[in-house]
Amino acid sequence: MTFDKKHRSRTLSDVIFASTDVQQTLKDYANNKRDKHLLLYGPKGTGKSVSAELIMRERLGSIWQAGLAEPFNAKAYAAQHDSFGPLLSQWNWQLSAGARAGCSIVDEIDQFTLPMQHKLRAFIDQYEMGVVIATTNNLHLVDGPLKDRFRPVCVEYPSIDQWVPRVVAVMAVEGIPITASQALVLLNGFDGSGRSLNDWIEDYVLRLQGAVHKLTKPLASGVTPSQVVTIHNTTEGK
Ligand SMILES: Nc1ncnc2c1ncn2[C@@H]1O[C@H](COP(=O)(O)OP(=O)(O)O)[C@@H](O)[C@H]1O
Ligand SMILES: [Mg+2]
């Protein structure tokens, strides 16, 4: 399993948001309190796709199962379909399984051609038994009238301080317990997306595990924070 997959957020509360307003709005969607179609936009690697999946999963609750809730990627969808029949049938399957409303994800909605965006707008106007959660890194490529059907929510990169709890949590799962201030040290120089954060942490995990292995053979179970600091100080900075 890749490091990224191993540490993928399991619930919406594991996802770090720069804005508490955005976090609350998405929580409301996850709790079925909001039903307007949702458009998550912002730079790549801010957690839009993972949030869309978790919102859908939480909205569907106990009826969620992979076959009923596969996210659609606009480009792949358009390569196979020129109508929104498959999306409608996903809603119908969910409703027949007991969902109170359908829910579908359209990732990278900007990848639909303009005619396909027009069809989606017509589809949304015709059928009211489901919610579309769309994501895009390119809001300017989404047709205005289609955008108007959605609640647009801007998802931005969290600050270094906001990433700290995630670094602490991931390191704990890796058996390397560290404090918040040690996590801040590890984040020194980090200036990227959630996706690159995973790579950044993985580099440290491998480096620290290698260093601990050299220092403490046989490897003790878990590493103490003071060892981490010692190791960090003796490991080249990134
Ligand atoms: N804000 C975040 N909180 C937690 N994990 C994140 C966050 N942003 C990105 N990630 C992780 O980075 C990876 C890519 O995120 P993704 O949702 O595909 O980004 P986007 O759709 O905005 O480009 C995923 O493994 C995700 O778990
Ligand atoms: Mg995405």
Side-chain angles (χ1 to χ4, degrees), residues 7-197:
H7 294 288
R8 211 170 159 84
S9 302
R10 304 272 182 267
T11 69
L12 193 61
S13 47
D14 297 333
V15 182
I16 310 282
F17 293 102
S19 147
T20 50
D21 281 352
V22 167
Q23 183 176 34
Q24 187 56 51
T25 303
L26 301 193
K27 252 192 211 167
D28 292 343
Y29 271 98
N31 293 331
N32 283 305
K33 287 190 186 148
R34 293 176 187 267
D35 287 314
K36 187 167 178 181
H37 305 291
L38 173 64
L39 176 58
L40 301 176
Y41 70 97
K44 64 182 165 55
T46 48
K48 299 180 299 296
S49 297
V50 78
S51 299
E53 280 184 46
L54 294 170
I55 292 168
M56 167 148 87
R57 192 183 271 238
E58 289 173 34
R59 281 180 80 89
L60 293 176
S62 60
I63 70 125
W64 183 91
Q65 51 172 285
L68 284 183
E70 286 305 320
F72 297 117
N73 173 275
K75 200 170 187 173
Y77 185 100
Q80 291 180 16
H81 313 288
D82 64 357
S83 80
F84 286 92
L87 199 148
L88 182 60
S89 95
Q90 188 176 57
W91 287 355
N92 280 327
W93 280 111
Q94 293 168 351
L95 292 168
S96 58
R100 61 178 271 287
C103 184
S104 291
I105 293 173
V106 179
D107 254 326
E108 304 188 25
I109 193 171
D110 56 277
Q111 298 293 308
F112 279 144
T113 58
L114 210 51
M116 208 48 187
Q117 293 194 26
H118 292 161
K119 280 187 194 174
L120 179 57
R121 189 190 73 205
F123 171 83
I124 278 173
D125 287 346
Q126 187 177 355
Y127 297 98
E128 295 191 339
M129 74 271 216
V131 171
V132 175
I133 305 176
T135 72
T136 181
N137 302 332
N138 301 296
L139 186 64
H140 62 286
L141 297 179
V142 183
D143 191 37
L146 176 61
K147 220 179 329 188
D148 284 349
R149 268 63 180 182
F150 285 80
R151 161 95 193 235
V153 171
C154 181
V155 187
E156 290 176 299
Y157 290 129
S159 67
I160 295 287
D161 285 358
Q162 288 173 317
W163 279 124
V164 163
R166 172 144 177 92
V167 174
V168 171
V170 171
M171 294 299 265
V173 171
E174 291 294 333
I176 307 176
I178 59 171
T179 64
S181 45
Q182 287 167 338
L184 258 181
V185 174
L186 294 197
L187 282 165
N188 187 22
F190 175 74
D191 180 24
S193 71
R195 200 176 278 121
S196 58
L197 181 71

